[in-house]
């Protein structure tokens, strides 16, 4: 366990999505309950840790792409621990002074995050539930660090698959994207329903995950994940396997045999015009 906040950090008996993901990434902030749950899921789907790394790599490529497009501020909903190459590490290396607000609803994650970021004037983490857009958008720390009249990179990476109702999430995503200035971007990665043999292993692993972790995961089809963008203009190539989105390797080719990549999709949309006037926090 970390030395950060160690004296006051509560030991959890329940695994969390943030802790399990942190364990898979090899980060230092997971706890024993997380490790046990991660190992149990991995027994049913041995490639799960590779999928988790693919997800983090997708996030990193998205952040680099958006910095390249001039974005200098990020709102990261369902952020996990700000380590192992999370948003502020990538953005601030490329663009010193880039501002990042992490939002998570899991108290241990937020407490550890705040202590990691204590000396960073351009990044913070606030407690917030992605299902409460009004509260998140009105949060004083969000408002202090981010300027909603300038483009923002809104990141919903590996978080929406913890919510059950596709239509409700589509409306939720809209509440956030409506508050953004033109030139902003929305990035989503999401668990994808696989086909054939992988689908069977995936549904076994999901059962184990849902049984051992505080969150329940819900996978969706490519069409359902596309729906979450609510028809906004998409950065090419649209919603695809996360590994196929702007790969770093110029020789990258789609690999049907890679079972770890078959269960995660992602894409990035662009906000063309602002729909909500003012703070967008109502
Ligand atoms: C798998 S981690 C993803 C972390 C990071 N976004 C990434 O992809 O690298 C999912 C995170 O979403 C958070 N989360 C799940 N449901 C949430 C909700 N309703 N509101 C805010 N955060 C949530 C979990 O606590 C966890 O930190």
């Amino acid at each position: 366990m970390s030395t950060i906040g160690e004296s006051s950090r509560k030991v959890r008996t329940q695994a969390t999505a943030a802790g399990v993901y942190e364990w898979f990434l090899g980060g230092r902030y997971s706890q024993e309950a997380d490790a046990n749950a991660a190992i149990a899921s991995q027994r049913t789907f041995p490639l799960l840790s590779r999928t988790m790394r693919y997800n983090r790599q997708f996030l990193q490529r998205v952040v680099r792409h958006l910095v390249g497009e001039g974005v200098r501020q990020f709102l990261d909903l369902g952020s996990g621990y700000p380590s192992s190459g999370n948003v502020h590490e990538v953005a601030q290396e490329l663009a010193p002074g880039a501002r990042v607000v992490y939002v998570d609803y899991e108290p241990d994650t937020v407490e550890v995050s705040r202590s990691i970021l204590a000396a960073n004037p351009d990044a913070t983490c606030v407690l917030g539930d992605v299902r409460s857009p009004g509260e998140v958008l009105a949060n004083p720390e969000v408002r202090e660090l981010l300027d909603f009249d300038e483009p923002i990179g809104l990141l919903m990476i590996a978080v929406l698959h913890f919510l059950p109702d596709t239509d409700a999430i589509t409306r939720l995503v809209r509440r956030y994207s409506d508050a953004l200035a033109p030139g902003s971007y929305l990035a989503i990665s999401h668990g994808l329903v696989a086909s054939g043999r992988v689908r069977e292993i995936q549904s076994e692993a999901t059962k184990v995950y849902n049984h051992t972790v505080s969150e329940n995961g819900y996978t969706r089809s490519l069409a359902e994940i596309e729906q979450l963008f609510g028809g906004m203009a998409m950065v090419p190539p649209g919603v695809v396997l996360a590994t196929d989105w702007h790969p770093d390797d110029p020789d990258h080719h789609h690999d049907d045999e890679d079972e770890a990549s078959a269960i995660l999709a992602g894409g990035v949309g662009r906000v063309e015009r602002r729909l909500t006037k003012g703070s967008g926090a109502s």
Side-chain angles (χ1 to χ4, degrees), residues 1 5-13 31 108 111:
M1 199 188 295
E6 194 167 31
S7 55
S8 59
R9 192 173 176 199
K10 216 171 136 204
V11 174
R12 289 184 277 100
T13 50
Q31 298 199 12
D108 174 64
E111 194 184 320

Side-chain angles (χ1 to χ4, degrees), residues 17-177:
V20 168
Y21 181 58
E22 175 75 355
W23 185 88
F24 276 119
L25 292 181
R28 52 194 284 224
Y29 301 106
S30 61
Q31 298 199 12
E32 195 179 342
D34 305 320
N36 292 338
I39 290 163
S41 295
Q42 200 173 29
R43 255 186 230 119
T44 50
F45 197 154
L47 296 176
L48 215 45
S49 63
R50 204 196 288 179
T51 308
M52 303 282 177
R53 288 199 302 278
Y54 286 159
N55 181 66
R56 179 49 62 87
Q57 289 160 4
F58 170 78
L59 174 152
Q60 294 168 340
R61 294 197 305 280
V62 165
V63 172
R64 289 202 300 270
H65 182 84
L66 299 193
V67 169
E69 294 296 312
V71 174
R72 293 293 179 271
Q73 37 178 11
F74 293 87
L75 179 59
D76 183 6
L77 305 179
S79 50
Y81 297 97
S83 61
S84 308
N86 212 334
V87 179
H88 78 288
E89 296 168 278
V90 178
Q92 292 178 351
E93 188 181 339
L94 289 173
R99 281 157 290 141
V100 179
V101 178
Y102 292 110
V103 180
D104 208 287
Y105 79 155
E106 200 285 301
D108 174 64
T109 307
V110 175
E111 194 184 320
V112 172
S113 299
R114 289 181 75 90
S115 105
I116 293 172
L117 300 169
N120 190 326
D122 298 313
T124 193
C125 180
V126 301
L127 187 67
D129 192 316
V130 68
R131 291 165 292 190
S132 304
E135 282 173 32
V136 170
L137 292 169
N139 183 299
E141 287 186 87
V142 172
R143 292 279 154 188
E144 194 183 311
L145 211 53
L146 305 181
D147 177 356
F148 280 74
D149 289 328
E150 293 293 326
I152 288 177
L154 174 64
L155 308 176
M156 299 174 108
I157 309 291
V159 63
L160 297 176
H161 50 218
F162 294 116
L163 304 179
D165 181 335
T166 306
D167 290 338
I169 308 173
T170 307
R171 289 193 295 275
L172 183 66
V173 171
R174 188 70 185 253
R175 283 286 309 278
Y176 286 102
S177 56

